[in-house]
Amino acid sequence: MLNLSEELKSLSIKAFKSLFDHDLDEKSVQIQPTRKEFDGSHTLVCFPLARFSKLKPEQTAEKIGEYLKSNSELVSDFNVVKGFLNIVVADKVWLQIADHILKTENYGFTAPTGREVMVEYSSPNTNKPLHLGHLRNNFLGYSVSQILKANGNKVHKVQIINDRGIHICKSMVAWQKFGEGETPESSGMKGDKLVGKYYVIFDQKYKEQIKELVEAGKSKEEAEKEAPIMKEAQEMLLKWEQKEPETYALWEKMNSWVYKGFENTYKTMGVDFDKLYYESETFSLGKDEVLRAVEEGIAYKKEDGSVWIDLTEDELDEKLLLRKDGTSVYMTQDIGTAILRYREFPKIEQQIYTVGNEQEYHFKVLFIILDKLGYEWAKSCYHLSYGMVDLPTGKMKSREGTVVDADDLMEDMFATAKSRTDELGKIDGFNKEEAEDLYRQLGLGALKYYLLKVDPVKRMMFNPEESIDFQGNTGPFIQYVHARICAILRKANQLEVTPEVSEKRDSLEPTERNVLQLIVDFPAKVDEAAKEYAPSIIANYVYEVAKAYNKFYSEVSIFNESDQDALAFRIAFSKIVAETIEKAMNLLGIEVPQKM
């Protein structure tokens, strides 16, 4: 397809040579998108050219504009604003581009390049259900995977399940002491929620014991260490690492409850994984590496038996790698997991970790340690950091049971989608199954879009009511525009109108031109989103496309058009827009309805 920016750059160099007898260096020719308030699609910045033309920037722009208009079929008009030359590309050219897009399979996506990457996301603990923060994590990781795939990468989607450690033992101890044999079947609770309930109970009992010990004269610090229930959890962790049969059996049983619960939640979310890693299977490799680091003088052992690494030369601090009782910490298992992945997938060129920004220091340390251990690939590891999600009600805390449960939030979104959709009469003619599917698509689309349209690095406030509005920068607005276009395409099919771009056509409505300018940007946006690991680029782009098409729809009649070539073009044009919206939304993990 014609690359307009490169073509206009080449023409501008040619014009300058003809007008001023000077060969411009390509780097000095800047072509950028024209600002919305001015006519044109591409702008030539003439300030740096004035020193060679010996004219003012405005005069330089005028002369180049006149030359382009007179000597190229590509340019139909121009306007000058200060030293900026705004170029109006001929409608005939836009029509040729539209024809090319219509006939191009998978427009905007890159063919496989052979490059392999791995994206980690979700990575929950098995002591609690998934919450609102996990939703942002999963949607972000899944979307980045889709975007990287669209750029020709082979993507391995993985997660590490934090299925061992003191937090897991807390739930186990509490269930053992207070559970009275309760199971997901006997309680009617999802397994992950049941285990999460005992994590909260542990914290309540632990606080009660601390209070009693403080009242008996202990300091708060002493009480925290000596509370009997905490000691039981620590003993259980040691037993687990020694694979004591009873402890191990309890751990397997409670984890199996959690996995069934997670599976259901992921299915509702519409995310999946190619491979699961378990901390229980990777921590021992991490321990081996840590002990090798001690032997090689990279890490050192303190008198109490704990193992540390000194990173002060790297402008960081000392980092614990093994506790004094020999048990692992998060860093130990992350070292093991990273190494195992590269052994199992030797062709991957990068590991991308989707983890909240409170772990930025952790990943900085992890990558440095892996590098010191001699793993060259450590330099290409990337932490896809994102900000926390707040609700109008305030901050969430797992151990206090104040988290916003992911399942509950999604169910609420489906219910809100139902009431909004029924209210607006958007399900006329739907059977029960179709209506339920639409509520799910809209509720999930609203949630995903709202969480993904914000730059990942930013902390954000999630407003459920605002997210499901059918107006404005929301998922349901974009889904509605897509459904509207599908209705137009169905009607065209009934009328036997073939979508095509006739060679006889040479003019466009301004709104058609505006939409086509955006569609031409799609491959560049997919590329930019991959480079920035930012689904927000795609989200805000597809909103602009939907908004621009909506304007076209309100201003231009489609089926009242008597010119058959114009009608065939508008159907082709609508088809291109629908396909672009669907592809862009799929990159966000969002389904688009065919009717509404």
Side-chain angles (χ1 to χ4, degrees), residues 128-132 396-405:
K128 56 194 173 188
L130 303 173
H131 55 66
L132 174 57
M396 305 185 295
K397 289 179 185 170
S398 308
R399 66 177 70 88
E400 291 173 17
T402 60
V403 296
V404 178
D405 183 89

Side-chain angles (χ1 to χ4, degrees), residues 421-587:
T421 311
D422 294 359
E423 202 179 285
L424 295 166
K426 293 189 187 294
I427 53 156
D428 298 343
F430 279 59
N431 63 37
K432 189 175 185 296
E433 202 177 303
E434 286 172 334
E436 289 299 326
D437 196 39
L438 181 65
Y439 304 145
R440 182 190 60 77
Q441 286 184 357
L442 290 172
L444 206 51
L447 181 58
K448 287 186 180 183
Y449 186 83
Y450 202 93
L451 293 177
L452 290 173
K453 73 176 180 178
V454 177
D455 187 320
V457 299
K458 291 181 181 170
R459 188 170 188 141
M460 66 174 294
M461 177 78 73
F462 175 65
N463 184 325
E465 283 298 310
E466 196 180 284
S467 74
I468 208 149
D469 202 330
F470 281 92
Q471 298 297 321
N473 189 1
T474 67
F477 167 72
I478 298 161
Q479 289 171 310
Y480 179 60
V481 171
H482 181 268
R484 170 180 272 169
I485 301 173
C486 289
I488 291 165
L489 298 177
R490 283 194 296 272
K491 186 175 177 181
N493 193 39
Q494 287 164 4
L495 296 171
E496 297 182 350
V497 179
T498 306
E500 61 184 4
V501 183
S502 167
E503 286 182 9
K504 295 177 205 162
R505 274 188 68 71
D506 60 4
S507 66
L508 287 169
E509 295 290 335
T511 49
E512 292 170 334
R513 198 183 305 117
N514 291 344
V515 176
L516 280 172
Q517 283 174 209
L518 286 166
I519 300 292
V520 166
D521 277 347
F522 185 48
K525 293 291 178 186
V526 175
D527 181 58
E528 186 190 349
K531 283 177 179 151
E532 300 291 327
Y533 307 97
S536 54
I537 290 167
I538 298 294
N540 291 293
Y541 164 77
V542 72
Y543 169 61
E544 290 300 326
V545 171
K547 191 169 64 167
Y549 183 87
N550 219 32
K551 191 169 191 300
F552 152 79
Y553 180 82
S554 66
E555 291 181 13
V556 178
S557 171
I558 296 177
F559 292 107
N560 290 333
E561 178 58 68
S562 55
D563 181 336
Q564 289 307 296
D565 288 340
L567 175 60
F569 168 73
R570 282 177 194 151
I571 299 307
F573 165 77
S574 298
K575 185 172 185 277
I576 289 166
V577 175
E579 285 172 356
T580 305
I581 289 175
E582 184 173 15
K583 280 186 279 196
M585 291 293 263
N586 285 346
L587 291 180

Side-chain angles (χ1 to χ4, degrees), residues 74-88:
L74 207 64
V75 179
S76 65
D77 206 352
F78 71 92
N79 60 85
V80 174
V81 180
K82 296 181 179 173
F84 297 98
L85 170 62
N86 301 322
I87 301 164
V88 179

Side-chain angles (χ1 to χ4, degrees), residues 17-195:
K17 170 73 174 166
S18 176
L19 291 165
F20 305 110
D21 195 27
H22 180 86
D23 290 313
L24 284 176
D25 174 12
E26 274 205 26
K27 288 177 185 170
S28 63
V29 182
Q30 297 171 41
I31 300 278
Q32 59 189 36
T34 303
R35 284 171 57 175
K36 284 179 187 175
E37 60 266 37
F38 304 117
D39 274 348
S41 57
H42 296 74
T43 295
L44 174 67
V45 182
C46 293
F47 295 98
L49 311 183
R51 64 193 180 103
F52 303 118
S53 67
K54 311 295 184 205
L55 296 172
K56 288 179 179 175
E58 293 95 319
Q59 293 169 313
T60 306
E62 285 285 351
K63 284 198 172 290
I64 296 171
E66 288 292 355
Y67 182 94
L68 295 178
K69 188 177 174 182
S70 306
N71 293 277
S72 171
E73 289 183 0
L74 207 64
V75 179
S76 65
D77 206 352
F78 71 92
N79 60 85
V80 174
V81 180
K82 296 181 179 173
F84 297 98
L85 170 62
N86 301 322
I87 301 164
V88 179
V89 172
D91 284 354
K92 191 80 181 164
V93 175
W94 290 116
L95 286 156
Q96 286 166 6
I97 289 170
D99 188 47
H100 174 84
I101 294 169
L102 184 67
K103 292 169 181 170
T104 301
E105 200 180 340
N106 251 352
Y107 171 73
F109 292 178
T110 306
T113 60
R115 183 174 185 265
E116 287 188 35
V117 293
M118 183 174 278
V119 181
E120 174 193 293
Y121 53 94
S122 195
S123 304
N125 295 333
T126 54
N127 64 320
K128 56 194 173 188
L130 303 173
H131 55 66
L132 174 57
H134 286 114
L135 289 176
R136 189 177 198 190
N137 180 303
N138 276 272
F139 298 156
L140 179 58
Y142 182 83
S143 179
V144 165
S145 302
Q146 293 289 91
I147 290 164
L148 290 169
K149 208 181 289 179
N151 275 276
N153 295 282
K154 182 177 181 181
V155 180
H156 304 280
K157 295 175 288 185
V158 300
Q159 63 167 321
I160 176 77
I161 297 172
N162 299 304
D163 63 342
R164 61 162 292 284
I166 193 73
H167 50 288
I168 312 294
C169 293
K170 287 176 182 179
S171 292
M172 288 161 64
V173 164
W175 183 83
Q176 221 173 27
K177 292 173 82 70
F178 314 109
E180 297 175 357
E182 187 177 33
T183 66
E185 290 73 28
S186 71
S187 65
M189 286 176 86
K190 263 177 92 229
D192 51 338
K193 291 194 164 97
L194 181 66
V195 173

Side-chain angles (χ1 to χ4, degrees), residues 324-335:
K324 62 183 178 185
D325 60 8
T327 56
S328 306
V329 291
Y330 269 126
M331 190 60 73
T332 326
Q333 71 89 1
D334 273 348
I335 290 167

Side-chain angles (χ1 to χ4, degrees), residues 49 133 180 199 205 253 290 304 357 361 427 534 552 591:
L49 311 183
E180 297 175 357
Y199 183 62
K205 300 293 179 187
K253 176 168 74 177
V290 167
D304 64 1
N357 58 13
Y361 184 79
I427 53 156
F552 152 79
E591 294 173 64

